[in-house]
Amino acid sequence: MQVVATLSLKGGVGKTTVALGLAGAAQRHGVSTLVVDLDPQANATTALDPEPTTATVADVLDEPRRAVVERAIAPSAWGEGLDVMVGAEQTERHNHPDPGAAQLHRLDRALQRIADELLGGDGDDLTEERYRLVIVDCPPSLGQLTRSALSAADRAILVTDPTMFSVSGVQRAFDAVQTERERSNNRLQPLGVLVNRVRPRNSEHEFRIAELRELFGPLVFNSVLPDRSAVQQAQGACLPIQDWDTPGAREVSAVFSALLGRVLRSASRDRPAASA
């Protein structure tokens, strides 16, 4: 089970859009996926429109027992193979600025309970992971919630937009990943920087992307997410961008398919080290 956090310490850059796009790509390619909505705004939960639950991620962070975890997970309305650990405003009570180690590792403990659960394969053999991918949508701040996600994650996708504040936002997010790696999670690595809402032939956007590449080198993905109205239209209809049949949607979907490939390749590289 590969755990990926979508991270931005600057609001309004489309971090949840990336989490949803990656989830849609995973579902389209048959990758069993759980979206964990850690943002108290719960926008990912709204877009995924899961069935009602008797618990939320806030309850999981109160008490990460298996029974509570199960009550907080529901199937997404997007279809089979995509579940949601639902978000809620109450999650904000866990967003302490200076949490202790026990608080930070509650999400990791909850996800480990899921990872330990295997589904039935052929015959009576229990060999199949329940989820191959977990996507954690973080709030745009560096408190307990984001640090909890980084303490549980294998990879972090740093999301930004091509504006004058993008460089400082990416630098702070990168520093947060490095700090959490040293503090509590030595398997955590940045997957890369994904630039969102890029307009073609916009000189300011081109300048900012070049600036990001100069500072962060190959960490910046070659593919960028174009600014397309199809993204908002699909989210408004509570549908994955992959199901929105317009040229702009197909352009965006291709970027998310490539991102999924990178996520899965990173998972395959991790396995030999884990079993050594």
Side-chain angles (χ1 to χ4, degrees), residues 4 17 36 39 65 67 74-75 89 93 105 113 123 129 145 160 176 185 195 197 219-220 224 238 254 260 276:
V4 176
T17 294
V36 178
D39 192 334
R65 293 186 297 110
E89 289 183 10
R93 70 174 180 258
H105 285 91
R113 282 162 172 73
E129 291 178 308
L145 294 174
T160 189
N185 181 6
V195 187
R197 294 178 181 157
L219 196 64
V220 181
V224 300
C238 294
L260 175 66

Side-chain angles (χ1 to χ4, degrees), residues 9-265:
L9 299 184
K10 175 180 177 291
V13 301
K15 165 189 54 60
T16 299
T17 294
V18 171
L20 294 172
L22 181 59
Q27 184 185 35
R28 176 62 60 92
H29 289 84
V31 177
S32 55
T33 300
L34 173 70
V35 173
V36 178
D37 191 355
L38 269 192
D39 192 334
Q41 296 181 77
N43 290 333
T45 299
T46 299
L48 291 164
D49 192 22
E51 297 176 1
T53 62
T54 57
T56 70
V57 71
D59 301 298
V60 171
L61 295 176
D62 284 333
E63 192 176 9
R65 293 186 297 110
R66 183 181 295 276
V68 180
V69 172
E70 293 299 333
R71 290 194 295 112
I73 294 175
S76 163
W78 288 10
E80 187 177 353
L82 179 57
D83 292 350
V84 190
M85 185 181 290
V86 301
E89 289 183 10
Q90 292 79 9
T91 311
E92 184 61 44
R93 70 174 180 258
H94 291 283
N95 208 15
H96 304 294
D98 190 25
Q103 293 170 302
L104 277 181
H105 285 91
R106 285 176 185 167
L107 179 63
D108 191 31
R109 286 165 54 199
L111 295 182
Q112 190 57 54
R113 282 162 172 73
I114 295 172
D116 290 342
E117 180 182 348
L118 297 177
L119 301 178
D122 294 334
D124 295 326
D125 294 333
L126 296 176
T127 57
E128 183 183 350
E129 291 178 308
R130 179 176 178 182
Y131 301 111
R132 189 174 169 192
L133 177 64
V134 175
I135 302 166
V136 186
D137 189 29
C138 304
S141 60
L142 190 59
Q144 179 184 336
L145 294 174
T146 295
R147 289 188 59 198
S148 293
L150 295 178
S151 295
D154 302 293
R155 295 291 186 272
I157 300 170
L158 313 182
V159 184
T160 189
D161 59 7
T163 65
M164 66 176 293
F165 301 112
S166 61
V167 173
S168 61
V170 172
Q171 186 63 63
R172 288 187 294 117
F174 180 77
D175 290 345
V177 170
Q178 296 301 100
T179 298
E180 215 55 54
R181 173 183 171 88
E182 293 169 3
R183 279 179 178 168
S184 65
N185 181 6
N186 60 13
R187 72 182 186 277
L188 174 65
Q189 295 182 33
L191 185 73
V193 178
L194 183 59
V195 187
N196 188 29
R197 294 178 181 157
V198 177
R199 295 178 195 148
R201 297 177 296 280
N202 182 301
S203 58
E204 172 66 13
H205 287 193
E206 291 172 357
F207 176 81
R208 296 302 172 188
I209 293 170
E211 190 176 25
L212 285 166
R213 294 193 194 284
E214 182 178 352
L215 288 168
F216 298 102
L219 196 64
V220 181
F221 294 141
N222 290 328
S223 298
V224 300
L225 282 167
D227 189 9
R228 296 289 181 265
S229 60
V231 174
Q232 287 73 40
Q233 292 166 351
Q235 289 178 4
C238 294
L239 290 172
I241 189 66
Q242 290 78 10
D243 287 355
W244 202 255
D245 190 19
T246 67
R250 289 191 288 272
E251 186 181 4
V252 172
S253 296
V255 177
F256 285 125
S257 291
L259 178 63
L260 175 66
R262 190 156 177 167
V263 168
L264 297 180
R265 286 192 297 275

